[in-house]
């Protein structure tokens, strides 16, 4: 058995070496914008994940909120308080803590909806491309119909259906899941189309035929052989879609159909701030806005770099 | 003074793993009216020399050392403007693929006249006359009419004539032809070579002919330079190099070319090619796992029997069946293969030979006919479970070693997949051992197991492909053009390997190829196909000595023969 273990160790080492010698690693360290974006994205993601630990207040804990402190400007301004670095919102919540928790929700919605639409889209794309014929026609026409609506409209539609179907209090409770599903359903088409065309190119290759000659059933050929070979573009779409999903969530929340003000995401915060913008309390919407831009931009830059790095024509 | 002289040329391509030297220490002299052949295998640096001469090295490649002189003047340091004037005016270039070297949206006339006006400073009317004259010189019939046509209205051979006319229209005194006939059928190839030879002599122009094909060299070149690994290993008169080569590499290269005129037992062992451990004697095949399970089918009956096999493909898809259009790829083909026999199928591309292979191995479902394998009609078996034991007994080796292996899987997993799927090994460690043995049998060694396919060359990948095909212990192997994507020396190795395995494992093989000399070396009986029909079947020697069908005779007459002293 020791020989088998040895080869496992060797293969692990080889894998690490492969990554280090790989083109992706190389191109990453030669792209300043990718490094910059990665740093920003990591900082945002880590501070969002550890928000309960690093944020000075818990904005969801009503006991810590004092309405007397409502609408305080940032600490460096004349009326600002030392206690609240970026000021407070209309309910007296510390804005910095609220942004960290809001970014946490935004990222959660983003990642969850990307994963759901990725699984849905890649699955349908694999079936559509491999089976072909009528199945393909039906799936792709549904995709075409959906593509003719803006993503935000689809998300509104899905959200609307849940609002009608669920009682009000239940809906508030499930708002997070409803919005994840709504964004996920609006985004699967990109994955399905890309995967379908890659599958059609892959399935005529001889390694797929070799699998057929061995006698492997279709689902094994699809999952074990074709899927790993079509995942490159999917990763790129996934990254760019992550930024888009965060923005759609913010838009929905801004429109008031997203997350409720009790558990505010970045979009909800911007909406709350928007109501006070003309009474001079600009900081309530500006700082969450900046956080949103930085988060979306860094993820987008990463996606752009990944797209170029994986494109053999641009190497 | 010679027409073109190259001294101490070194071309390198900087990469992030250091400089890759594509050609080094290259010295060449070409006289006016002379054709110098440069021959070598892929990656030897042949094309690099041609590109260096006309200053079209692919970035970031560069000339690191040496000098190139045309008429005694250095041309390797000219600026882009002067180099452009030189190309076409003094140096003409003929590329490999006539499909892509002409602009599809312009008429032949527009492309010729533009080039002539640019280089010869003629007005348009003169240039048009000159263009017609050029087409006449390359033997295009009715040049006045044809010149108004677009490239797609010409056949492949005619298009290559146009490309030659384009390269010669400014009357260059030096021509570089990079694999000019590789994309053409054999019959057209002979005409084009004859034409190029004639034009060279008539215009007293010098030519470099770059090719991998010994036959082309033998028919065309006055002198030949043999390249290996970026170096010229031997240069001299064609007859001398091909007939009595001095260098070991040249000897092995020539001995690897399959002989069309007689059947040899094996290709003499070719040294100087990529290291492959000899098929290991470590494994005694007769007692090994691989040699077991001989009890399938009876040995004296037919292994495979095709009856009126038919296949049609959809050429126009439609949602409703009545709107679809079909093409008959295989028309009522019947033949049988005896147990232990190597049966060849030969024919041009599109003749349906690969389609037959894919129907036998179950990739395509035939639209008509029967496939009897070891006495059972496979087309009557409905469920996957019923077919599985028969599928296991037949495996396939594919043409393209680069797409036939899944690049995301380790070699070990690729070879183990059929063993695990058909549950041919009791435990994982037994399976591992079988995989190691298989890799040894095909001459790769244990270490190959943990690598990924991209770490191997084409020939080594084809060995992996063969190991995978053997992993189910098949009795019947379908080889679909297994060597046509490989260099000749690698081809010789792979064919040797297949022969050895066939004898030791007593395999029955269906061997598909367009290459007649290869068929002659490999097969016991041969079927000739054209347009989906089987024209004749006979014993290999009979077919080559006394072909009965007219089409077979035509194919045989076009077979490239290069006569040089026997080896």
């Amino acid at each position: 058995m020791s020989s088998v273990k040895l080869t496992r160790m060797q293969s692990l080492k080889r894998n690490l070496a492969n990554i280090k010698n790989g083109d992706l690693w190389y191109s990453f360290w030669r792209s300043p914008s990718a490094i910059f974006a990665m740093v920003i994205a990591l900082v945002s993601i880590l501070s969002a994940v550890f928000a309960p630990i690093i944020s000075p207040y818990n904005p969801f804990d009503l006991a810590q909120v004092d309405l007397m402190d409502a609408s305080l400007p940032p600490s460096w301004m004349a009326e600002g308080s030392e206690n609240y670095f970026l000021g407070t919102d209309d309910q007296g919540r510390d804005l910095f803590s609220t942004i960290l928790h809001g970014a946490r929700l935004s990222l959660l919605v983003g990642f969850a909806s990307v994963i759901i639409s990725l699984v849905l889209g890649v699955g349908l794309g694999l079936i559509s491309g491999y089976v072909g014929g009528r199945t393909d026609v039906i799936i792709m026409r549904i995709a075409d119909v959906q593509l003719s609506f803006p993503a935000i409209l689809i998300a509104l539609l899905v959200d609307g259906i849940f609002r009608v179907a669920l009682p009000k209090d239940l809906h508030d409770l499930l708002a997070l899941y409803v919005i994840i599903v709504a964004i996920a359903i609006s985004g699967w088409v990109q994955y399905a189309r890309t995967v379908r065309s890659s599958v059609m190119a892959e399935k005529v290759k001889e390694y797929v035929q070799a699998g057929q000659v061995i006698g492997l059933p279709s689902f094994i050929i699809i999952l074990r052989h074709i899927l790993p070979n079509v995942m490159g573009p999917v990763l790129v779409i996934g990254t760019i879609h992550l930024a888009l999903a965060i923005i759609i969530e913010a838009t929905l929340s801004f429109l008031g159909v997203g997350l409720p003000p009790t558990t505010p995401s970045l979009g909800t915060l911007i909406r709350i701030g928007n109501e006070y913008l003309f009474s001079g309390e600009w900081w309530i919407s500006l700082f969450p806005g900046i956080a949103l831009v930085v988060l979306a931009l860094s993820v987008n830059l990463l996606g752009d770099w990944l797209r170029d790095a994986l494109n053999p024509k641009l190497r | 003074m010679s027409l073109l002289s190259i001294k101490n040329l070194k071309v390198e391509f900087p990469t992030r793993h250091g400089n890759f030297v594509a050609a080094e220490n290259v010295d060449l002299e070409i006289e006016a009216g002379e054709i110098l052949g440069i021959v070598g295998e892929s990656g030897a640096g042949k094309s690099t020399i041609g590109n260096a001469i006309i200053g079209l090295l692919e970035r970031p490649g560069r000339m690191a050392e040496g000098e190139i002189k045309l008429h005694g003047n250095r041309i390797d340091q000219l600026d882009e403007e002067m180099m452009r004037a030189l190309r076409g005016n003094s140096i003409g270039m003929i590329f490999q693929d006539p499909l892509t070297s002409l602009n599809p949206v312009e008429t032949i006339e527009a492309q010729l006249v533009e080039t002539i006006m640019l280089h010869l400073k003629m007005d348009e009317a003169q240039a048009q006359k000159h263009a017609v004259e050029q087409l006449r010189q390359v033997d295009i019939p009715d040049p006045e009419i044809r010149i108004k046509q677009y490239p797609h209205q010409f056949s492949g051979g005619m298009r290559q004539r146009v490309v030659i006319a384009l390269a010669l229209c400014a009357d260059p005194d030096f021509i570089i032809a990079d694999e000019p006939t590789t994309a053409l059928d054999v019959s057209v190839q002979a005409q084009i070579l004859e034409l190029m030879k004639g034009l060279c002599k008539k215009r007293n122009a010098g030519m470099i002919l770059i090719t991998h094909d010994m036959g082309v060299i033998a028919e065309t070149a006055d002198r030949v330079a043999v390249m290996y690994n970026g170096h010229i290993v031997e240069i001299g008169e064609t007859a001398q190099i091909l007939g009595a080569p001095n260098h070991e590499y040249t000897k092995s290269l020539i001995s690897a070319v399959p002989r069309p005129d007689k059947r040899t037992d094996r290709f003499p062992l070719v040294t100087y090619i990529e290291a492959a451990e000899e098929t290991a004697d470590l494994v005694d095949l007769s007692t090994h796992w691989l040699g077991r399970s001989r009890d399938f089918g009876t040995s004296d009956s037919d292994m495979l029997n095709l009856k009126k096999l038919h296949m049609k493909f959809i050429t126009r898809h439609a949602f409703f069946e009545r709107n679809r259009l079909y093409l008959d790829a295989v028309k009522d083909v019947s033949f049988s293969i005896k147990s232990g026999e190597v049966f060849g199928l030969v024919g041009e591309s599109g003749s349906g030979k690969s389609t037959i292979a894919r129907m036998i191995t179950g990739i395509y479902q035939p639209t008509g006919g029967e496939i009897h394998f070891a006495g059972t009609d496979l087309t009557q078996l409905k469920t996957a479970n019923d077919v599985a034991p028969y599928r296991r007994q037949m495996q396939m080796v594919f043409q393209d070693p680069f797409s036939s292996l899944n690049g995301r899987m380790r070699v070990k997993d690729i070879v183990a997949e059929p063993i695990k799927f058909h549950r041919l090994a009791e435990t994982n460690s037994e399976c591992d051992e079988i995989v190691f043995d298989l890799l040894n049998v095909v001459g790769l060694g244990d270490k190959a197991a943990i690598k990924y396919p991209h770490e191997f060359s084409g020939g080594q990948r084809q060995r992996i492909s063969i190991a995978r095909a053997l992993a189910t212990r098949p009795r019947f192997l379908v080889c679909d053009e297994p060597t046509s994507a490989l260099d000749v020396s690698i081809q010789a190795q792979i064919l040797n390997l297949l022969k050895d395995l066939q004898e030791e494992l007593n395999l029955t093989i269906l061997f598909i190829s367009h290459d007649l000399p290869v068929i002659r070396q490999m097969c016991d009986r041969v079927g000739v196909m054209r347009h989906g029909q089987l024209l004749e079947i006979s014993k290999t020697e009979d077919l080559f000595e006394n072909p009965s069908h007219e089409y077979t005779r035509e194919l045989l007459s076009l077979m490239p023969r290069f006569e040089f002293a026997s080896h």
Side-chain angles (χ1 to χ4, degrees):
Chain A
M1 282 316 282
S2 66
S3 73
V4 178
K5 263 183 192 164
L6 193 68
T7 54
R8 282 221 182 101
M9 275 293 289
Q10 282 171 343
S11 66
L12 192 71
K13 271 187 190 159
R14 285 179 61 86
N15 272 343
L16 279 177
N18 278 347
I19 291 172
K20 272 201 167 163
N21 295 329
D23 290 328
L24 215 56
W25 184 266
Y26 178 75
S27 103
F28 178 75
W29 288 110
R30 297 210 346 160
S31 164
S33 76
I35 298 173
F36 172 74
M38 182 62 98
V39 170
I40 302 279
L42 276 181
V43 168
S44 318
I45 290 170
L46 288 179
S47 54
V49 169
F50 295 108
I53 300 168
I54 56 176
S55 66
Y57 301 91
N58 180 0
F60 303 147
D61 183 3
L62 290 176
Q64 287 186 23
V65 176
D66 187 353
L67 260 181
M68 294 300 286
D69 289 341
S71 303
L72 288 176
S75 57
W76 59 84
M77 285 177 64
E79 297 135 61
S81 154
E82 288 291 312
N83 297 334
Y84 306 108
F85 172 53
L86 291 180
T88 58
D89 70 354
D90 61 325
Q91 298 176 41
R93 294 182 291 207
D94 172 43
L95 204 52
F96 179 62
S97 308
T98 321
I99 288 174
L100 286 183
H101 281 85
R104 185 179 157 93
L105 283 173
S106 293
L107 278 169
L108 175 69
V109 171
F111 275 112
S113 57
V114 162
I115 288 170
I116 294 174
S117 37
L118 193 147
V119 171
L120 186 69
V122 170
L124 286 173
L126 284 171
I127 295 169
S128 190
Y130 192 81
V131 177
R134 282 183 196 173
T135 320
D136 177 38
V137 172
I138 291 167
I139 293 176
M140 281 302 120
R141 289 305 81 78
I142 293 173
D144 286 344
V145 169
Q146 179 167 336
L147 264 191
S148 55
F149 293 98
I152 193 87
L153 201 61
I154 304 272
L156 274 174
L157 203 68
V158 175
D159 185 68
I161 291 170
F162 276 105
R163 259 168 215 279
V164 175
L166 300 172
K168 172 86 176 83
D169 44 347
L170 195 61
H171 182 270
D172 272 359
L173 210 64
L174 296 176
L176 184 66
Y177 305 102
V178 170
I179 201 164
I180 288 173
V181 170
I183 296 173
I185 289 178
S186 74
W188 66 274
V189 177
Q190 293 287 346
Y191 299 97
R193 287 194 144 194
T194 313
V195 167
R196 170 183 174 266
S197 60
S198 305
V199 169
M200 288 170 73
E202 291 294 322
K203 79 169 175 184
V204 294
K205 289 198 180 160
E206 288 174 344
Y207 73 88
V208 174
Q209 297 184 352
Q212 291 167 338
V213 172
I214 291 168
L216 302 177
S218 295
F219 73 93
I220 290 189
I221 293 181
I222 292 177
L223 292 181
R224 196 186 293 164
H225 293 281
I226 295 181
L227 181 60
N229 283 294
V230 299
M231 280 310 279
V234 170
L235 285 181
V236 175
I237 299 177
T239 320
I240 293 172
H241 187 211
L242 176 61
L244 189 68
I246 291 172
I247 290 172
I248 292 180
E249 183 276 325
T251 313
L252 289 176
S253 296
F254 182 80
L255 293 174
V257 293
L259 297 174
T262 46
T263 54
S265 72
L266 292 177
T268 320
L269 281 175
I270 297 172
R271 175 170 60 100
I272 297 169
N274 189 42
E275 289 164 15
Y276 298 92
L277 205 55
F278 293 108
S279 55
E281 284 117 10
W282 47 268
W283 56 88
I284 304 181
S285 63
L286 183 70
F287 292 121
I290 291 174
L292 179 67
V293 168
V294 168
L295 189 60
L297 184 67
S298 63
V299 174
N300 250 335
L301 284 176
L302 275 182
D304 276 354
W305 159 75
L306 198 61
R307 187 189 55 204
D308 291 351
L310 291 179
N311 185 350
K313 281 183 192 156
L314 290 178
R315 259 185 211 151
Chain B
M1 187 179 61
S2 51
L3 173 63
L4 183 99
S5 81
I6 299 175
K7 279 205 182 66
N8 195 29
L9 175 73
K10 179 178 178 184
V11 176
E12 56 183 24
F13 288 81
T15 71
R16 65 185 171 98
H17 303 296
N19 280 342
F20 171 74
V21 177
E24 202 173 12
N25 294 332
V26 174
D27 295 293
L28 287 176
E29 303 270 329
I30 295 128
E31 306 294 333
E34 183 191 42
I35 298 179
L36 173 78
I38 299 183
V39 72
E41 297 183 293
S42 46
K46 321 182 286 289
S47 295
T48 306
I49 292 181
N51 291 340
I53 294 172
I54 52 167
L56 286 179
L57 282 174
E58 223 170 283
R59 278 170 193 284
R62 59 162 190 261
M63 242 181 88
E65 280 171 33
E67 53 181 45
I68 301 171
K69 283 181 179 169
L70 186 69
H71 294 301
N73 303 317
R74 282 192 77 162
I75 59 169
D76 51 294
Q77 288 167 328
L78 297 180
D79 59 24
E80 189 52 29
E81 196 59 34
M82 295 175 72
M83 203 65 215
R84 207 178 305 148
L86 199 70
R87 284 178 215 138
N89 255 347
S90 310
I91 306 178
M93 182 95 190
I94 302 167
F95 294 99
Q96 173 173 353
D97 190 358
L99 296 178
T100 52
S101 44
L102 290 173
N103 183 346
V105 299
E106 281 189 353
T107 61
I108 300 302
E109 181 173 37
Q111 300 180 48
L112 275 169
V113 167
E114 185 192 4
T115 318
I116 292 169
M117 284 170 67
L118 190 71
H119 287 296
L120 293 186
K121 311 274 182 287
M122 289 181 175
D123 64 36
E124 196 163 343
Q126 279 176 310
Q128 275 167 354
K129 266 190 205 146
H130 191 70
V132 171
E133 190 47 41
Q134 293 300 316
L135 289 188
R136 204 188 305 280
Q137 289 219 3
V138 293
D139 297 332
I140 290 180
D142 305 323
E144 294 87 353
I145 302 166
R146 300 287 276 178
I147 198 168
K148 304 283 182 200
Q149 295 179 339
Y150 288 89
H152 70 88
Q153 291 167 295
F154 288 73
S155 67
M158 280 295 159
R159 237 179 283 188
Q160 194 64 315
R161 284 169 195 269
V162 175
V163 171
I164 293 174
L166 203 56
L168 300 186
C169 67
D171 217 359
D173 36 31
F174 182 67
I175 302 157
I176 301 167
D178 191 351
E179 304 270 7
T181 57
T182 307
L184 303 175
D185 288 336
V186 262
S187 54
V188 187
Q189 164 170 315
Q191 297 166 11
I192 295 284
L193 290 178
E194 203 50 48
L195 172 74
M196 285 174 27
K197 222 159 115 179
L199 288 172
C200 240
K201 299 293 171 221
K202 202 158 81 188
R203 298 175 173 221
N204 199 29
M207 184 192 302
I208 283 188
L209 175 70
I210 297 164
T211 181
H212 69 282
D213 190 333
M214 286 292 193
V216 169
I217 291 288
E219 279 173 27
T220 321
D222 301 311
R223 285 193 304 141
V224 56
V226 183
M227 284 202 76
Y228 174 68
N229 242 344
H231 294 261
I232 292 181
V233 294
E234 194 167 10
I235 184 164
E237 300 291 319
T238 305
Q240 185 253 317
I241 297 275
L242 296 187
N246 282 323
H247 198 276
E248 284 303 312
Y249 175 69
T250 319
K251 282 180 194 163
S252 64
L253 194 63
I254 289 171
S255 72
V257 178
R259 301 191 57 142
D261 51 343
K262 73 171 189 209
R263 181 164 183 164
T264 48
D265 244 5
R266 273 178 123 252
F267 293 93
L269 185 68
V270 254
T271 49
Y272 247 97
I273 33 186
E274 66 183 11
E277 292 158 40
E278 253 307 85
T279 57
D281 293 326
L282 335 158
V283 185
D284 180 10
L285 286 174
S286 53
T287 58
H288 186 261
W289 177 88
L290 269 174
R292 266 184 265 149
S293 144
R294 292 243 168 279
D295 48 347
F296 188 83
T298 45
S299 56
D300 49 330
S301 72
D302 289 340
M303 176 64 78
L304 183 81
N305 197 347
L306 303 184
K307 287 183 182 155
K308 287 196 171 297
L309 200 59
H310 198 98
M311 181 73 196
K312 56 183 180 180
F313 285 115
I314 301 177
T315 51
R316 196 178 77 192
H317 288 271
F319 197 81
F320 296 106
E321 236 162 307
R322 61 180 137 82
N323 291 339
R324 292 178 190 159
L325 290 181
Y326 297 95
L327 167 88
D328 293 298
V330 174
K331 299 170 196 160
D332 297 333
V333 168
S334 309
F335 63 84
S336 60
I337 303 176
K338 288 192 206 63
S339 192
E341 183 182 43
V342 181
F343 185 88
L345 264 187
V346 70
E348 292 169 307
S349 53
S351 60
K353 34 190 211 312
S354 293
T355 308
I356 290 182
R358 281 163 171 67
M359 283 191 284
I360 294 170
T361 49
I363 296 170
Y364 297 156
Q365 293 305 313
T367 42
E370 299 165 13
I371 301 170
H372 292 269
F373 181 63
T376 310
D377 185 1
L378 296 186
T379 55
Q380 296 302 313
L381 300 175
K382 292 287 178 256
T383 67
N385 275 343
D386 291 344
V387 188
Y390 298 96
R391 286 273 163 274
R392 218 199 82 197
Q393 297 296 341
M394 53 165 88
Q395 284 299 309
M396 189 154 170
V397 177
F398 294 90
Q399 171 174 2
D400 180 5
F402 291 93
S403 78
S404 64
L405 303 173
N406 183 353
R408 305 271 167 169
M409 286 168 82
R410 273 172 217 287
V411 169
K412 191 174 91 172
D413 299 325
I414 291 173
V415 179
E417 184 169 42
I419 302 175
K420 287 187 171 148
F421 179 73
H422 289 288
R423 299 204 177 81
L424 299 177
E426 307 274 318
T427 60
N428 270 344
S429 55
E430 189 192 342
C431 180
D432 281 352
E433 260 165 50
I434 294 169
V435 170
F436 289 147
D437 287 347
L438 275 168
L439 291 174
N440 279 318
V441 165
V442 297
L444 282 173
D446 294 4
K447 289 193 205 81
I450 55 165
K451 294 187 184 172
Y452 285 93
H454 70 87
E455 298 174 65
F456 296 92
S457 70
Q460 291 169 324
R461 281 161 164 253
Q462 205 61 314
R463 288 169 189 271
I464 300 170
S465 199
I466 292 171
R468 172 180 60 192
L470 294 177
T472 60
R473 281 185 296 195
R475 301 280 295 114
F476 178 58
L477 206 57
V478 178
C479 300
D480 187 3
E481 304 262 12
T483 58
S484 53
L486 307 174
D487 280 327
V488 275
S489 59
I490 313 278
Q491 162 170 297
Q493 285 187 327
I494 296 290
L495 292 180
N496 273 349
L497 173 66
L498 282 172
K499 269 188 175 181
D500 292 345
L501 290 169
Q502 194 266 330
E503 279 163 21
E504 283 176 64
L505 297 170
N506 194 25
L507 291 170
T508 311
I509 292 183
L510 172 61
F511 192 94
I512 293 171
S513 181
H514 69 282
D515 193 334
L516 283 163
V518 170
I519 289 277
R520 182 161 205 177
Q521 300 305 320
M522 293 299 292
C523 303
D524 302 320
R525 285 194 306 144
V526 186
V528 181
M529 287 199 71
R530 185 179 60 175
H531 301 327
Q533 280 168 318
L534 192 62
L535 300 179
E536 88 170 279
I537 303 176
S538 49
K539 289 212 161 74
T540 308
E541 288 309 301
D542 292 346
L543 186 94
F544 279 81
E545 299 305 326
N546 295 307
S548 60
H549 198 279
E550 197 185 330
Y551 177 70
T552 316
R553 278 198 287 275
E554 192 189 323
L555 273 184
L556 286 173
S557 73
L558 294 172
M559 193 164 66
R561 293 172 191 279
F562 63 116
E563 280 92 25
F564 40 81
S566 61
H567 52 271

